[in-house]
Amino acid sequence: MRELLAKLNPPQREAVEYNRGPLLVLAGAGSGKTRVITHKIAYLIKECGIQAKHITAITFTNKAAKEMQERATKLVTGLNTRGLTICTFHALGLKILREEAVNLGYKQNFSVLDSYDSGKIISDLLETTDKSLIRSLQGQISLWKNGFISPDKALAQAKEEFDMVQAKIYQQYQDTLLAYQAIDFDDLIRLPVELFQNNLAVLHKWQLKIRYLLVDEYQDTNVCQYQLIKLLAGTNGLFTAVGDDDQSIYAWRGADSQNLHLLNQDYPNLNIIKLEQNYRSTITILTAANQVIQNNPKLFEKKLWSEFGTGESIRVISCPNEEAEADMVARKIMLHQLQHQNKFSDYAILYRSNFQSRVLEQALRNYKIPYNISGGQSFFDKAEIKDIMAYLRLILNDDDDSAFIRAVTTPKRGIGSTTIDKLSGYAKRRNISLFEALFEEGFAAECNAIQVEILLEFGNFINNLQFRQNKEPAGELLNELLAAIKYESYLYDIEEAKGAEKRYANVMSFVEWLAKKGENDNKTLPELTQTVSLITMLEGQNGEEVDAVKLTTLHASKGLEYPYVFLISCEEGILPHQESINVNSIDEERRLMYVGITRAQYELTISYCEQRRKAGALETRERSRFIAEMGGHNIIDEAKRRYEKISDKTELLSKFNLLKALINKDA
């Protein structure tokens, strides 16, 4: 262990060794927070004698959890790590709910609804297909749940008629979820908190299970997540929270940086350790970042520093319009890549909003530059995967009406909307699920005999798989399911051959992945079905990194790093966003700028447009105030050089050779 600790700097080592009470580690960008967490896990096991099964580390993404698990396991090679839990908040919530479902009035085989399915329920309740309205209410319900506000409380707080309508829909939505024996993503945190607050015996049981808690990205926690941490940590507060108030950029989805203040209040003996040495960026980049963020009110004073030297100057570039800006970025990447023979994956283009990627894509295609956009369609959002998941959800929980409707109508089996409407009306009168209703004689008396026969055949098929789901390997059941419903033939009936082949390949990939996961993790089909609901992407399934320029929003870039970064469209109204300017609240926008700057390792280029087309007319733009806030240390403002002639013959020859190489490559 001494050898491992020797590789840490003094504040990192102090954070790893401190275990006498609650600890907050203020970890600046690129300061090695993951190293601290993984080394602390090893220290707790090796030096403190805490069994791995009593240690839980929580983070926000599956990718971060996987990386942490791999790194921690390597540090404790040869020791018993059985039961060590490194997972997301929501995965921990699911684990708790699986064990405690009965205490909350749920059966163990509850369904976890994704955004699409919860949106469908809201759509039905609102009796509208207006996507913006549905998304707006989904977002509001999510904020209420994350803020631990019940439907009754939301109704009591309502001041306007619109607020009252939203609160009533929230109540109906919750009633529907309970009827479906389903929970949504936010319930994975809210329900365990509610349970622990109302059942001290269950809380004590979990406090004994989790004797040391580590929390990553603490500044991104919301009210509900903080309550979960506080309840599990208990009065002794045996936990380490790692976070950075300067990177708190998720207030719009409920994150509350004031949770850092609450730690101080709730745990007067809180120890605070700052990690300020940056292992990512040059002094020039860090100086600019420090200069920008010092304009925000500070919870804790902190200043990043580096031993990597001054490095290249930051370049600020003015462009006539967004097309010129995109062309400039693409051209610079191509020339730089040719000159230095870098990988395309060394480059990232960061922007404030998703709409900005369109013009960039066109420019990159023009220069034949491979690119990858973060936040593309999730594997699990594909229609063919949702089809199979509907069957799995119904097998898991036959009270799940939305899963029933999708499964019974996909593939088509002669059940039309008229039959579904009759079944739905009957189920509603009897206050039972659609699945239960199809077996009742009362329904059979109301419906066509042929339709009843088809429904009963479907119901018996699902019952058979339900009976076997905990006894037989998941892979065998899944392959049997696909064969029975003739899903491959169905795809070829509704698609051209090429499209059907691609979609069925996705299904087979999904089934093979589930079968392998079931075998390796010793999980049954019900456990796999609930787990899948937590995964937004098949992250790193094939373990291959694509050599392509990364296009990503500033929000999605947090936690990542790239040798060469282009931070585009730094204009008033975009960064900072116009809404923030209107309400005179740009602190979070400034933190976004800070996050963008600190993604760069070696070189940073910042650009903005002088004009931008809006509603068909050209609009003059003003460059972002954050550019001025960076100061002038080693910053080249190339706006002044745009019309200057190149007088250096060596520079001229170099550019000529690069352009010639570019032409030859395109030929």
Side-chain angles (χ1 to χ4, degrees), residues 496-529:
E496 295 291 333
K498 193 173 181 180
E501 183 182 355
K502 185 177 180 181
R503 289 180 63 183
Y504 195 66
N506 286 335
V507 170
M508 292 311 297
S509 173
F510 176 54
V511 168
E512 287 165 13
W513 177 75
L514 275 179
K516 186 177 179 182
K517 192 167 181 63
E519 191 176 330
N520 292 346
D521 298 349
N522 194 29
K523 284 188 173 181
T524 61
L525 191 59
E527 291 172 319
L528 289 170
T529 302

Side-chain angles (χ1 to χ4, degrees), residues 344-391:
F344 281 112
S345 56
D346 288 340
Y347 301 87
I349 308 173
L350 312 182
Y351 40 84
R352 177 64 177 81
S353 303
N354 278 309
F355 77 87
Q356 294 170 262
S357 68
R358 182 192 57 79
V359 67
L360 286 167
E361 289 187 72
Q362 184 61 55
L364 292 169
R365 283 198 295 267
N366 289 344
Y367 285 92
K368 297 184 173 64
I369 298 173
Y371 64 89
N372 179 275
I373 301 181
S374 72
Q377 187 189 32
S378 164
F379 185 84
F380 293 102
D381 282 339
K382 296 181 186 296
E384 59 271 24
I385 303 303
K386 281 186 167 291
D387 288 343
I388 305 306
M389 275 302 297
Y391 279 89

